[in-house]
Amino acid sequence: MTEVATDQLQVWVDQDLCTGDGLCVQYAPDVFEFDVDGLAYVKGSDGELLQAPGSRVDVPEHLRLEVIDSAKECPGECIHVLRAGDGVAVAGPDAED
């Protein structure tokens, strides 16, 4: 797991799979937020909600564990955490355990 500690990570939410459970918003409210549709979205560094499907944001270094935990705990398995450099999934439904 050393790659996770050193590489920049990105995260995105698949709203088609989102259950609106809210664990991600509890884990990392600086990264995730609900919209009026009751689904979670990622937020840009300026706090703006990114509603385009597949929108990715960089994970702040101090929130890496929270974002990874939100992906692992998400009941909808809709949170994708990737290494920015090569796009390899480190957490979420496409990650190899």
Side-chain angles (χ1 to χ4, degrees):
M1 188 126 117
T2 55
E3 300 91 11
V4 174
T6 58
D7 288 347
Q8 177 63 48
L9 300 179
Q10 292 184 322
V11 63
W12 66 281
V13 177
D14 183 343
Q15 283 76 31
D16 290 338
L17 299 176
C18 181
T19 61
D21 189 80
L23 286 175
C24 59
V25 176
Q26 292 174 7
Y27 274 109
D30 291 342
V31 177
F32 303 103
E33 185 175 315
F34 284 125
D35 197 12
V36 294
D37 60 6
L39 302 178
Y41 291 82
V42 292
K43 298 192 297 188
S45 59
D46 59 358
E48 183 177 338
L49 207 62
L50 303 179
Q51 296 174 306
S55 291
R56 294 181 183 185
V57 297
D58 291 334
V59 176
E61 189 171 333
H62 68 282
L63 292 175
R64 287 181 182 192
L65 291 178
E66 289 84 349
V67 170
I68 289 169
D69 285 346
S70 68
K72 289 180 177 179
E73 300 296 324
C74 177
E77 296 186 346
C78 66
I79 299 170
H80 300 261
V81 183
L82 315 167
R83 284 195 313 240
D86 58 11
V88 171
V90 297
D94 298 330
E96 294 181 16
D97 290 330

